[in-house]
Amino acid sequence: MKYKIKEKSSIQGEIKISGSKNATLPLISAALLTKEKVMLYNVPLISDVLNMIRILDSLGIFVSYQYQHQILTIQAKHMKKKVLSAYVGKLRASYYLMGALATRKKTFQICYPGGCNLGQRPINLHLDAFHAYGIKYEEDEEGLHFKTTKRQNTEIHFPVVSVGATINAILVGVKTLGVTHLTNVAIEPEVIDVIECLNQMGANIRFLEERSIEIQGVKKLHGVTYSVMFDRIEAGSYLLLASSLPESKLTLQGVDSTKMASVLEVLSQMGNQFQTIDKAITIVSPKELSNVCVTTGPYPMFPTDLQPQLTTVLLRGMEKSTIIEGIYTKRFSHVEELKKLGARLDKEENQLEIYPSVLHGGDLNVHDLRCGFALIIASVMSKENCTIDQVEYILRGYEDITDKLKKIGIEFVKLS
Ligand code: EPU
Protein backbone atom coordinates (compact mmCIF):
# COMPACT_ATOMS: atom_id res chain seq x y z
CA MET A 1 0.00 0.00 0.00
CA LYS A 2 1.40 3.32 -1.10
CA TYR A 3 0.32 6.74 0.16
CA LYS A 4 1.30 10.31 -0.60
CA ILE A 5 1.59 13.06 1.93
CA LYS A 6 2.07 16.81 1.57
CA GLU A 7 4.40 19.07 3.52
CA LYS A 8 2.75 21.37 6.07
CA SER A 9 3.66 24.57 7.83
CA SER A 10 1.93 23.88 11.16
CA ILE A 11 -0.51 21.46 12.79
CA GLN A 12 -3.70 22.57 14.51
CA GLY A 13 -6.64 20.64 15.91
CA GLU A 14 -7.83 17.95 18.25
CA ILE A 15 -7.96 14.14 18.14
CA LYS A 16 -8.97 11.31 20.43
CA ILE A 17 -6.35 8.76 21.40
CA SER A 18 -7.33 5.10 20.99
CA GLY A 19 -7.02 2.11 23.30
CA SER A 20 -3.54 0.70 23.72
CA LYS A 21 -2.32 -1.95 21.27
CA ASN A 22 0.23 -3.30 23.71
CA ALA A 23 -2.35 -3.64 26.49
CA THR A 24 -5.16 -5.02 24.29
CA LEU A 25 -3.09 -7.91 22.90
CA PRO A 26 -2.15 -9.46 26.28
CA LEU A 27 -5.64 -8.70 27.65
CA ILE A 28 -7.08 -10.84 24.85
CA SER A 29 -4.91 -13.72 26.09
CA ALA A 30 -5.85 -12.99 29.71
CA ALA A 31 -9.50 -13.46 28.67
CA LEU A 32 -8.67 -17.09 27.81
CA LEU A 33 -7.89 -17.89 31.46
CA THR A 34 -11.60 -18.15 32.23
CA LYS A 35 -14.48 -20.02 30.63
CA GLU A 36 -16.77 -17.10 31.45
CA LYS A 37 -17.49 -14.10 29.24
CA VAL A 38 -14.94 -11.28 29.10
CA MET A 39 -15.88 -7.93 27.56
CA LEU A 40 -13.07 -5.56 26.67
CA TYR A 41 -13.91 -1.93 25.93
CA ASN A 42 -11.80 0.66 24.08
CA VAL A 43 -10.29 -2.03 21.81
CA PRO A 44 -8.61 -0.37 18.80
CA LEU A 45 -9.43 -1.39 15.23
CA ILE A 46 -5.89 -2.17 14.06
CA SER A 47 -4.57 -5.12 12.11
CA ASP A 48 -2.65 -6.65 15.06
CA VAL A 49 -5.96 -6.90 16.98
CA LEU A 50 -7.79 -8.30 13.93
CA ASN A 51 -5.08 -10.94 13.47
CA MET A 52 -5.29 -11.93 17.13
CA ILE A 53 -9.08 -12.28 16.74
CA ARG A 54 -8.52 -14.51 13.68
CA ILE A 55 -6.23 -16.75 15.74
CA LEU A 56 -8.84 -17.07 18.52
CA ASP A 57 -11.43 -17.89 15.90
CA SER A 58 -9.20 -20.64 14.49
CA LEU A 59 -9.02 -22.13 18.00
CA GLY A 60 -12.82 -22.44 18.19
CA ILE A 61 -13.11 -19.67 20.81
CA PHE A 62 -16.20 -17.44 20.75
CA VAL A 63 -15.14 -13.95 19.79
CA SER A 64 -17.22 -11.01 18.63
CA TYR A 65 -15.84 -7.55 17.82
CA GLN A 66 -18.27 -4.63 17.64
CA TYR A 67 -15.63 -2.37 16.21
CA GLN A 68 -17.97 0.63 15.84
CA HIS A 69 -18.22 0.61 19.65
CA GLN A 70 -14.72 -0.81 20.20
CA ILE A 71 -16.12 -3.69 22.28
CA LEU A 72 -14.53 -7.12 22.07
CA THR A 73 -16.36 -10.05 23.65
CA ILE A 74 -14.49 -13.30 24.23
CA GLN A 75 -15.72 -16.53 25.75
CA ALA A 76 -13.24 -19.39 25.80
CA LYS A 77 -15.45 -22.26 26.99
CA HIS A 78 -13.41 -24.61 24.82
CA MET A 79 -10.28 -24.18 22.75
CA LYS A 80 -8.22 -26.33 20.46
CA LYS A 81 -4.68 -27.17 21.45
CA LYS A 82 -2.92 -26.63 18.13
CA VAL A 83 -2.26 -22.98 17.33
CA LEU A 84 -1.20 -23.35 13.74
CA SER A 85 -2.94 -20.35 12.15
CA ALA A 86 -0.72 -18.45 9.72
CA TYR A 87 -1.68 -15.29 11.66
CA VAL A 88 0.51 -16.38 14.61
CA GLY A 89 3.53 -15.44 12.50
CA LYS A 90 2.07 -12.04 11.69
CA LEU A 91 2.40 -10.54 15.17
CA ARG A 92 4.81 -10.89 18.03
CA ALA A 93 2.15 -10.68 20.72
CA SER A 94 0.82 -14.09 19.67
CA TYR A 95 3.40 -15.34 22.22
CA TYR A 96 0.86 -14.39 24.92
CA LEU A 97 -1.21 -17.35 23.77
CA MET A 98 1.51 -19.61 25.19
CA GLY A 99 0.92 -18.27 28.70
CA ALA A 100 -2.84 -18.69 28.35
CA LEU A 101 -2.72 -22.17 26.81
CA ALA A 102 -0.24 -23.39 29.43
CA THR A 103 -2.95 -22.86 32.07
CA ARG A 104 -5.69 -24.57 30.04
CA LYS A 105 -3.97 -27.51 28.32
CA LYS A 106 -1.60 -30.26 29.43
CA THR A 107 -0.13 -30.35 25.94
CA PHE A 108 -0.29 -27.78 23.16
CA GLN A 109 1.50 -26.72 20.04
CA ILE A 110 2.06 -23.23 18.62
CA CYS A 111 3.99 -21.94 15.64
CA TYR A 112 6.58 -19.20 16.04
CA PRO A 113 5.38 -15.64 16.72
CA GLY A 114 6.26 -12.91 14.21
CA GLY A 115 6.31 -9.13 14.63
CA CYS A 116 8.18 -6.06 13.51
CA ASN A 117 11.73 -6.59 12.37
CA LEU A 118 13.72 -4.82 15.08
CA GLY A 119 16.75 -7.11 14.95
CA GLN A 120 16.95 -10.25 17.03
CA ARG A 121 13.87 -10.68 19.22
CA PRO A 122 14.32 -13.91 21.17
CA ILE A 123 11.71 -15.49 23.47
CA ASN A 124 14.21 -17.24 25.74
CA LEU A 125 12.99 -15.35 28.83
CA HIS A 126 9.42 -16.52 28.19
CA LEU A 127 10.56 -20.13 27.74
CA ASP A 128 12.75 -19.98 30.88
CA ALA A 129 9.75 -18.72 32.85
CA PHE A 130 7.53 -21.54 31.54
CA HIS A 131 10.27 -24.01 32.43
CA ALA A 132 10.42 -22.65 36.00
CA TYR A 133 6.70 -23.45 36.34
CA GLY A 134 7.38 -27.05 35.24
CA ILE A 135 6.17 -26.56 31.66
CA LYS A 136 8.42 -28.51 29.29
CA TYR A 137 8.83 -27.71 25.60
CA GLU A 138 10.46 -29.01 22.47
CA GLU A 139 11.08 -27.12 19.24
CA ASP A 140 10.93 -28.27 15.64
CA GLU A 141 10.32 -26.64 12.26
CA GLU A 142 6.55 -26.46 12.99
CA GLY A 143 7.08 -24.46 16.15
CA LEU A 144 6.96 -25.18 19.87
CA HIS A 145 5.40 -28.22 21.54
CA PHE A 146 4.57 -27.78 25.23
CA LYS A 147 3.88 -30.45 27.83
CA THR A 148 3.00 -30.10 31.51
CA THR A 149 2.45 -32.86 34.03
CA LYS A 150 2.04 -30.58 37.01
CA ARG A 151 2.60 -26.83 37.23
CA GLN A 152 4.43 -25.70 40.34
CA ASN A 153 4.68 -22.30 41.97
CA THR A 154 8.13 -20.78 41.63
CA GLU A 155 10.52 -17.84 41.96
CA ILE A 156 11.67 -16.15 38.77
CA HIS A 157 14.24 -13.40 38.52
CA PHE A 158 14.33 -11.88 35.02
CA PRO A 159 17.93 -11.13 33.96
CA VAL A 160 16.58 -8.51 31.53
CA VAL A 161 13.44 -6.41 32.04
CA SER A 162 10.93 -7.78 29.52
CA VAL A 163 7.33 -6.67 29.04
CA GLY A 164 6.28 -9.86 27.25
CA ALA A 165 8.04 -12.32 29.55
CA THR A 166 6.69 -10.55 32.65
CA ILE A 167 3.12 -10.77 31.35
CA ASN A 168 3.48 -14.40 30.25
CA ALA A 169 4.88 -15.34 33.68
CA ILE A 170 1.91 -13.57 35.30
CA LEU A 171 -0.60 -15.33 33.01
CA VAL A 172 0.75 -18.72 34.12
CA GLY A 173 1.23 -17.71 37.76
CA VAL A 174 -2.34 -16.58 38.46
CA LYS A 175 -3.73 -20.11 38.13
CA THR A 176 -0.74 -22.01 39.53
CA LEU A 177 -1.54 -22.91 43.12
CA GLY A 178 0.83 -21.69 45.84
CA VAL A 179 2.82 -18.46 45.94
CA THR A 180 4.97 -17.31 43.03
CA HIS A 181 7.49 -14.49 43.20
CA LEU A 182 8.67 -12.57 40.14
CA THR A 183 11.54 -10.09 40.40
CA ASN A 184 13.04 -7.53 38.03
CA VAL A 185 9.66 -7.37 36.30
CA ALA A 186 8.58 -4.81 33.69
CA ILE A 187 6.41 -2.03 35.14
CA GLU A 188 5.15 -0.53 31.88
CA PRO A 189 1.60 0.87 32.30
CA GLU A 190 0.41 -1.91 29.93
CA VAL A 191 1.70 -4.55 32.39
CA ILE A 192 -0.16 -2.78 35.21
CA ASP A 193 -3.31 -2.72 33.04
CA VAL A 194 -3.15 -6.50 32.58
CA ILE A 195 -2.59 -7.02 36.33
CA GLU A 196 -5.54 -4.75 37.12
CA CYS A 197 -7.82 -6.72 34.77
CA LEU A 198 -6.65 -10.12 36.09
CA ASN A 199 -7.22 -8.99 39.69
CA GLN A 200 -10.75 -7.95 38.70
CA MET A 201 -11.19 -11.48 37.30
CA GLY A 202 -10.33 -12.90 40.74
CA ALA A 203 -6.54 -13.20 40.52
CA ASN A 204 -4.36 -12.24 43.46
CA ILE A 205 -1.34 -10.32 42.18
CA ARG A 206 0.38 -7.61 44.20
CA PHE A 207 3.58 -5.58 44.09
CA LEU A 208 5.96 -6.13 47.02
CA GLU A 209 8.51 -3.61 45.78
CA GLU A 210 8.78 -1.61 42.57
CA ARG A 211 9.99 -4.51 40.39
CA SER A 212 8.85 -7.41 42.54
CA ILE A 213 5.49 -9.19 42.29
CA GLU A 214 3.82 -11.80 44.47
CA ILE A 215 1.11 -14.00 42.97
CA GLN A 216 -1.13 -16.17 45.15
CA GLY A 217 -2.42 -18.77 42.74
CA VAL A 218 -6.21 -19.25 42.51
CA LYS A 219 -8.19 -22.19 41.12
CA LYS A 220 -10.63 -20.23 39.04
CA LEU A 221 -11.00 -16.84 37.39
CA HIS A 222 -14.34 -15.33 36.42
CA GLY A 223 -15.56 -13.10 33.62
CA VAL A 224 -15.10 -9.33 33.62
CA THR A 225 -15.92 -6.12 31.79
CA TYR A 226 -12.77 -4.06 31.45
CA SER A 227 -11.77 -0.89 29.62
CA VAL A 228 -8.34 -0.97 27.98
CA MET A 229 -5.98 1.91 28.88
CA PHE A 230 -5.14 4.63 26.32
CA ASP A 231 -2.30 4.10 23.86
CA ARG A 232 0.57 6.15 25.30
CA ILE A 233 2.73 5.40 22.25
CA GLU A 234 0.05 6.66 19.88
CA ALA A 235 -0.30 9.77 22.07
CA GLY A 236 3.48 10.28 22.09
CA SER A 237 3.61 9.85 18.31
CA TYR A 238 1.05 12.62 17.76
CA LEU A 239 2.75 14.92 20.30
CA LEU A 240 6.00 14.42 18.40
CA LEU A 241 4.21 15.05 15.11
CA ALA A 242 2.94 18.37 16.49
CA SER A 243 6.41 19.34 17.71
CA SER A 244 7.89 18.66 14.28
CA LEU A 245 6.49 21.95 12.97
CA PRO A 246 6.87 25.41 14.55
CA GLU A 247 3.95 26.99 16.39
CA SER A 248 1.61 24.01 16.14
CA LYS A 249 -1.19 23.51 18.62
CA LEU A 250 -2.66 20.04 19.09
CA THR A 251 -5.03 18.68 21.74
CA LEU A 252 -5.20 14.96 22.49
CA GLN A 253 -8.27 13.63 24.30
CA GLY A 254 -8.27 10.47 26.42
CA VAL A 255 -4.71 10.72 27.77
CA ASP A 256 -3.45 10.08 31.29
CA SER A 257 -0.36 12.29 31.26
CA THR A 258 0.97 10.78 34.52
CA LYS A 259 1.84 7.70 32.44
CA MET A 260 3.88 9.79 30.00
CA ALA A 261 6.24 11.65 32.34
CA SER A 262 9.53 10.83 30.57
CA VAL A 263 8.04 11.68 27.16
CA LEU A 264 6.64 15.01 28.36
CA GLU A 265 9.94 15.82 30.04
CA VAL A 266 11.90 15.33 26.81
CA LEU A 267 9.32 17.28 24.82
CA SER A 268 9.57 20.12 27.38
CA GLN A 269 13.37 20.15 27.13
CA MET A 270 12.87 20.57 23.37
CA GLY A 271 10.89 23.75 24.10
CA ASN A 272 7.31 22.48 23.77
CA GLN A 273 4.69 23.75 26.20
CA PHE A 274 1.79 21.78 27.67
CA GLN A 275 -1.55 22.29 29.25
CA THR A 276 -3.34 19.38 30.90
CA ILE A 277 -7.03 19.43 31.83
CA ASP A 278 -8.52 16.14 33.08
CA LYS A 279 -7.86 13.62 30.29
CA ALA A 280 -6.87 16.19 27.67
CA ILE A 281 -3.40 17.42 26.91
CA THR A 282 -2.55 20.34 24.61
CA ILE A 283 0.90 20.83 23.16
CA VAL A 284 2.19 24.10 21.70
CA SER A 285 5.40 23.65 19.77
CA PRO A 286 8.27 26.15 19.77
CA LYS A 287 9.46 28.23 16.84
CA GLU A 288 12.98 26.95 17.39
CA LEU A 289 13.55 23.46 18.78
CA SER A 290 16.24 22.79 21.42
CA ASN A 291 18.53 19.79 21.20
CA VAL A 292 18.34 16.88 23.69
CA CYS A 293 20.29 13.81 24.72
CA VAL A 294 17.98 10.83 25.32
CA THR A 295 18.50 7.17 26.22
CA THR A 296 15.61 4.76 25.66
CA GLY A 297 14.94 2.07 28.26
CA PRO A 298 12.29 0.19 30.23
CA TYR A 299 9.51 2.29 31.79
CA PRO A 300 9.74 4.83 33.36
CA MET A 301 12.54 5.71 30.91
CA PHE A 302 11.86 7.16 27.45
CA PRO A 303 10.17 4.40 25.36
CA THR A 304 11.98 2.75 22.46
CA ASP A 305 8.64 2.81 20.60
CA LEU A 306 8.99 6.60 20.24
CA GLN A 307 12.68 6.64 19.30
CA PRO A 308 12.23 6.74 15.47
CA GLN A 309 9.64 9.53 15.76
CA LEU A 310 11.85 11.54 18.16
CA THR A 311 14.88 11.09 15.87
CA THR A 312 12.90 12.61 13.01
CA VAL A 313 11.64 15.64 14.94
CA LEU A 314 15.15 16.41 16.23
CA LEU A 315 16.25 17.03 12.63
CA ARG A 316 14.69 20.48 13.05
CA GLY A 317 16.74 21.13 16.22
CA MET A 318 19.03 24.14 16.45
CA GLU A 319 22.00 21.96 17.43
CA LYS A 320 23.11 18.34 17.38
CA SER A 321 21.06 15.87 19.49
CA THR A 322 22.01 12.38 20.63
CA ILE A 323 19.86 9.28 21.10
CA ILE A 324 21.06 6.04 22.63
CA GLU A 325 18.75 3.09 21.87
CA GLY A 326 18.81 0.99 25.04
CA ILE A 327 16.27 -1.73 24.15
CA TYR A 328 16.59 -2.76 20.50
CA THR A 329 20.14 -2.03 19.36
CA LYS A 330 19.09 -2.54 15.73
CA ARG A 331 15.96 -0.35 15.73
CA PHE A 332 17.29 2.07 13.13
CA SER A 333 15.46 1.15 9.91
CA HIS A 334 14.22 4.76 9.70
CA VAL A 335 17.77 6.12 9.44
CA GLU A 336 18.43 5.18 5.80
CA GLU A 337 14.93 6.35 4.82
CA LEU A 338 15.45 9.74 6.48
CA LYS A 339 18.80 10.08 4.72
CA LYS A 340 16.91 9.79 1.39
CA LEU A 341 15.33 13.15 2.30
CA GLY A 342 18.66 14.77 3.17
CA ALA A 343 18.74 14.03 6.91
CA ARG A 344 22.19 14.29 8.50
CA LEU A 345 22.48 11.33 10.87
CA ASP A 346 25.53 9.49 12.16
CA LYS A 347 25.01 6.07 13.68
CA GLU A 348 27.57 4.16 15.63
CA GLU A 349 26.31 0.90 17.14
CA ASN A 350 23.25 1.90 19.18
CA GLN A 351 24.04 5.63 19.30
CA LEU A 352 22.65 8.15 16.87
CA GLU A 353 23.88 11.72 16.37
CA ILE A 354 21.20 13.93 14.80
CA TYR A 355 22.25 17.16 13.08
CA PRO A 356 20.02 20.08 12.03
CA SER A 357 18.79 19.23 8.51
CA VAL A 358 16.45 20.63 5.88
CA LEU A 359 14.41 17.79 4.37
CA HIS A 360 13.41 17.57 0.71
CA GLY A 361 10.83 15.24 -0.89
CA GLY A 362 11.32 11.57 -1.76
CA ASP A 363 9.91 8.07 -2.02
CA LEU A 364 10.03 6.29 1.31
CA ASN A 365 9.57 2.68 2.43
CA VAL A 366 8.24 1.67 5.83
CA HIS A 367 10.15 -1.17 7.51
CA ASP A 368 8.27 -1.42 10.81
CA LEU A 369 5.36 0.17 12.67
CA ARG A 370 7.16 3.02 14.46
CA CYS A 371 9.49 3.65 11.51
CA GLY A 372 6.24 4.22 9.60
CA PHE A 373 5.02 7.00 11.87
CA ALA A 374 8.51 8.54 11.80
CA LEU A 375 8.28 8.69 8.00
CA ILE A 376 4.89 10.43 8.23
CA ILE A 377 6.53 13.05 10.45
CA ALA A 378 9.46 13.39 8.02
CA SER A 379 7.09 13.85 5.07
CA VAL A 380 5.17 16.56 6.89
CA MET A 381 8.45 18.33 7.76
CA SER A 382 9.95 18.09 4.27
CA LYS A 383 9.77 21.02 1.88
CA GLU A 384 8.29 18.89 -0.95
CA ASN A 385 5.75 16.07 -1.27
CA CYS A 386 6.69 12.50 -0.33
CA THR A 387 5.31 9.05 -1.01
CA ILE A 388 5.31 6.32 1.61
CA ASP A 389 5.17 2.66 0.60
CA GLN A 390 4.38 -0.41 2.75
CA VAL A 391 1.89 1.51 4.86
CA GLU A 392 0.50 -1.88 6.01
CA TYR A 393 3.03 -1.74 8.85
CA ILE A 394 1.50 1.50 10.15
CA LEU A 395 -2.01 0.03 10.11
CA ARG A 396 -0.83 -2.67 12.54
CA GLY A 397 -0.83 -0.20 15.39
CA TYR A 398 -2.37 3.21 14.55
CA GLU A 399 -6.16 3.25 14.54
CA ASP A 400 -7.93 5.44 12.01
CA ILE A 401 -4.71 7.11 10.99
CA THR A 402 -5.98 8.70 7.76
CA ASP A 403 -8.96 10.31 9.51
CA LYS A 404 -6.97 11.43 12.51
CA LEU A 405 -4.34 13.07 10.30
CA LYS A 406 -7.08 14.72 8.24
CA LYS A 407 -8.61 16.21 11.41
CA ILE A 408 -5.38 18.05 12.06
CA GLY A 409 -4.96 19.19 8.48
CA ILE A 410 -2.72 16.48 7.01
CA GLU A 411 -3.81 14.75 3.79
CA PHE A 412 -2.56 11.16 3.80
CA VAL A 413 -3.86 9.90 0.48
CA LYS A 414 -3.87 6.30 -0.77
CA LEU A 415 -2.24 5.83 -4.20
CA SER A 416 -2.24 2.05 -4.57
N1 EPU B 1 14.44 -10.01 25.31
C1 EPU B 1 15.23 -11.12 25.37
N2 EPU B 1 14.63 -12.33 25.50
C2 EPU B 1 13.29 -12.47 25.57
C3 EPU B 1 12.47 -11.33 25.52
C4 EPU B 1 13.08 -10.10 25.38
O1 EPU B 1 16.44 -11.03 25.31
O2 EPU B 1 12.81 -13.60 25.71
C5 EPU B 1 15.05 -8.68 25.16
C6 EPU B 1 14.63 -8.01 23.83
O3 EPU B 1 15.42 -8.41 22.75
C7 EPU B 1 14.78 -6.54 24.19
C8 EPU B 1 14.42 -6.51 25.68
O4 EPU B 1 14.54 -7.84 26.16
O5 EPU B 1 16.10 -6.13 24.03
C9 EPU B 1 13.06 -5.99 26.00
O6 EPU B 1 12.09 -6.60 25.16
P1 EPU B 1 10.62 -6.91 25.67
O7 EPU B 1 10.49 -8.35 25.96
O8 EPU B 1 10.26 -5.94 26.76
O9 EPU B 1 9.78 -6.58 24.39
P2 EPU B 1 8.41 -7.24 24.00
O10 EPU B 1 7.64 -7.55 25.22
O11 EPU B 1 8.60 -8.31 23.03
C10 EPU B 1 6.94 -5.08 23.99
C11 EPU B 1 6.17 -4.32 22.97
C12 EPU B 1 7.13 -3.61 22.02
C13 EPU B 1 8.03 -2.70 22.85
C14 EPU B 1 8.75 -3.50 23.94
C15 EPU B 1 9.59 -2.64 24.87
C16 EPU B 1 4.18 -5.63 22.69
C17 EPU B 1 3.38 -6.52 21.83
N3 EPU B 1 5.34 -5.23 22.21
O12 EPU B 1 7.71 -6.04 23.26
O13 EPU B 1 6.33 -2.82 21.18
O14 EPU B 1 8.98 -2.10 22.00
O15 EPU B 1 7.78 -4.21 24.74
O16 EPU B 1 8.79 -1.71 25.50
O17 EPU B 1 3.76 -5.24 23.77
C18 EPU B 1 5.77 -1.64 19.23
O18 EPU B 1 4.65 -1.45 19.73
O19 EPU B 1 6.18 -1.02 18.22
C19 EPU B 1 6.67 -2.60 19.87
C20 EPU B 1 7.71 -3.14 19.25
Side-chain angles (χ1 to χ4, degrees):
M1 260 187 248
K2 193 169 180 174
Y3 280 62
K4 80 170 178 203
I5 191 160
K6 275 193 186 162
E7 44 82 29
K8 283 282 296 174
S9 54
S10 84
I11 287 165
Q12 309 288 332
E14 178 174 318
I15 50 177
K16 171 151 181 359
I17 293 304
S18 299
S20 159
K21 165 179 90 74
N22 290 347
T24 299
L25 296 167
L27 283 168
I28 291 175
S29 280
L32 309 185
L33 299 187
T34 175
K35 291 186 174 182
E36 294 179 21
K37 188 161 84 178
V38 171
M39 285 178 85
L40 298 174
Y41 283 69
N42 204 26
V43 171
L45 178 58
I46 50 176
S47 57
D48 270 12
V49 166
L50 294 177
N51 286 337
M52 197 72 166
I53 289 172
R54 289 177 181 123
I55 300 171
L56 261 51
D57 203 41
S58 75
L59 290 175
I61 294 164
F62 173 82
V63 48
S64 149
Y65 185 28
Q66 293 167 266
Y67 59 85
Q68 310 89 327
H69 303 292
Q70 293 162 321
I71 303 172
L72 182 64
T73 307
I74 299 168
Q75 188 158 18
K77 275 190 185 158
H78 313 282
M79 63 172 91
K80 295 180 188 161
K81 57 181 185 177
K82 287 193 177 185
V83 196
L84 301 176
S85 159
Y87 293 106
V88 175
K90 290 199 182 286
L91 73 161
R92 181 155 168 89
S94 49
Y95 55 37
Y96 289 128
L97 294 166
M98 297 178 195
L101 267 105
T103 70
R104 295 278 302 253
K105 301 283 174 194
K106 291 222 169 338
T107 60
F108 67 96
Q109 184 186 338
I110 182 165
C111 39
Y112 288 105
C116 278
N117 180 16
L118 310 178
Q120 231 199 354
R121 294 181 75 185
I123 55 165
N124 58 310
L125 300 174
H126 303 241
L127 297 175
D128 290 350
F130 294 141
H131 187 255
Y133 282 112
I135 303 162
K136 299 193 173 75
Y137 67 90
E138 282 175 10
E139 296 187 59
D140 63 19
E141 64 286 349
E142 280 189 346
L144 292 142
H145 303 256
F146 289 85
K147 190 175 176 188
T148 322
T149 32
K150 190 174 184 314
R151 282 199 318 279
Q152 75 236 1
N153 60 295
T154 183
E155 291 194 359
I156 301 171
H157 177 82
F158 294 101
V160 176
V161 174
S162 161
V163 173
T166 298
I167 294 178
N168 252 335
I170 292 171
L171 291 177
V172 179
V174 289
K175 285 179 79 181
T176 300
L177 295 182
V179 179
T180 288
H181 285 116
L182 308 177
T183 50
N184 202 28
V185 297
I187 51 168
E188 268 65 6
E190 295 75 16
V191 177
I192 310 298
D193 212 36
V194 173
I195 292 176
E196 178 68 30
C197 178
L198 285 167
N199 279 343
Q200 287 188 26
M201 291 167 74
N204 191 344
I205 310 160
R206 66 183 182 115
F207 274 90
L208 298 178
E209 292 161 40
E210 198 189 46
R211 290 197 183 272
S212 157
I213 285 176
E214 182 184 90
I215 307 172
Q216 303 259 2
V218 294
K219 266 198 176 143
K220 200 169 170 243
L221 295 183
H222 51 76
V224 72
T225 297
Y226 190 80
S227 186
V228 179
M229 68 171 281
F230 79 105
D231 196 316
R232 67 191 170 98
I233 304 301
E234 187 199 23
S237 301
Y238 281 103
L239 292 176
L240 283 160
L241 173 63
S243 69
S244 72
L245 296 176
E247 297 175 314
S248 295
K249 186 174 179 186
L250 175 67
T251 298
L252 304 181
Q253 294 289 351
V255 172
D256 176 355
S257 52
T258 61
K259 297 190 164 84
M260 298 191 67
S262 62
V263 176
L264 298 184
E265 196 188 318
V266 169
L267 282 161
S268 296
Q269 284 168 16
M270 288 155 67
N272 293 285
Q273 293 192 331
F274 296 98
Q275 200 188 2
T276 312
I277 303 172
D278 297 331
K279 296 277 177 216
I281 183 164
T282 300
I283 182 172
V284 177
S285 70
K287 214 168 181 179
E288 295 181 339
L289 199 89
S290 304
N291 59 314
V292 288
C293 182
V294 175
T295 302
T296 68
Y299 188 85
M301 287 175 75
F302 190 90
T304 171
D305 293 346
L306 291 175
Q307 180 264 110
Q309 302 90 312
L310 176 65
T311 300
T312 312
V313 177
L314 290 172
L315 292 167
R316 89 161 178 97
M318 300 303 291
E319 287 174 59
K320 182 190 87 167
S321 290
T322 304
I323 297 186
I324 299 169
E325 173 52 62
I327 301 275
Y328 300 117
T329 51
K330 299 229 161 68
R331 187 175 217 167
F332 292 109
S333 66
H334 50 296
V335 169
E336 287 312 310
E337 297 300 319
L338 293 173
K339 283 184 179 172
K340 287 184 190 168
L341 306 185
R344 291 165 56 223
L345 296 161
D346 274 348
K347 186 179 96 57
E348 192 138 331
E349 298 191 349
N350 64 335
Q351 180 163 331
L352 199 56
E353 308 289 354
I354 302 150
Y355 296 91
S357 313
V358 176
L359 303 185
H360 51 72
D363 297 321
L364 303 169
N365 285 300
V366 178
H367 301 281
D368 63 72
L369 170 62
R370 309 302 173 187
C371 162
F373 203 94
L375 299 186
I376 290 178
I377 296 177
S379 309
V380 168
M381 285 167 74
S382 76
K383 295 281 165 250
E384 294 152 346
N385 293 348
C386 292
T387 65
I388 304 182
D389 208 350
Q390 290 165 199
V391 167
E392 293 85 339
Y393 282 108
I394 306 178
L395 305 182
R396 290 182 60 170
Y398 289 94
E399 187 176 42
D400 239 355
I401 185 141
T402 314
D403 282 354
K404 287 189 185 183
L405 289 174
K406 197 169 182 178
K407 271 199 180 133
I408 55 176
I410 298 169
E411 295 292 333
F412 191 44
V413 182
K414 192 168 177 186
L415 297 175
S416 60

